[in-house]
Amino acid sequence: MDVEPMILLMVAAGGALGSMSRLAVGNGVSAWLGAGFPWGTLAVNLSGALLMGLLAGAVGLPGPEAPRPGWALLAVGLLGGYTTVSSFSLQTLLLWRQGRTGAALANVLVTLLAGFAALGLGVWLAGGLT
């Protein structure tokens, strides 16, 4: 697959900003709510889903062609770097291994269901898909 250099730069720039934002928001929420549950990762993933919904609702979903520079910067780079399935998965596994089965299952269910709801809310707030 051929990717234009400008698209790669947009994804890299967005990814850097998204990753730094994830660290700041995740740490801030964890400091505020405590480290007994992965609140920081949950807040990041739910806010990322809401932001993705707002973006998709405002500009529409990309087609099968190469991503537009704005989509590459915001959706693929920024929000791709901001949200984190790997941290979510690791923290769920740690809860499970600590014998906190209910917390592990709650983390999965809340992340998936509330994430999908946040995405839908974002699309709705942005006026729907165009």
Side-chain angles (χ1 to χ4, degrees):
M1 178 174 158
D2 247 353
V3 180
E4 294 178 35
M6 179 56 72
I7 297 296
L8 289 175
L9 288 173
M10 298 302 256
V11 170
L17 292 172
S19 296
M20 291 185 294
S21 299
R22 176 178 72 217
L23 179 65
V25 171
N27 285 350
V29 170
S30 292
W32 180 43
L33 295 177
F37 187 82
W39 296 112
T41 301
L42 181 62
V44 162
N45 286 336
L46 295 183
S47 62
L50 176 66
L51 291 170
M52 183 67 82
L54 286 168
L55 181 62
V59 302
L61 296 173
E65 70 280 353
R68 300 178 305 266
W71 187 265
L73 173 70
L74 297 174
V76 179
L78 182 76
L79 293 176
Y82 179 66
T83 59
T84 173
V85 171
S86 57
S87 293
F88 155 73
S89 300
L90 177 62
Q91 291 165 340
T92 302
L93 177 65
L94 291 173
L95 289 170
W96 187 275
R97 290 190 62 180
Q98 293 169 353
R100 299 177 61 200
T101 307
L105 292 174
N107 193 36
V108 170
L109 289 174
V110 170
T111 298
L112 294 177
L113 296 176
F116 185 70
L119 179 80
L121 176 63
V123 169
W124 179 75
L125 289 172
L129 293 175
T130 56

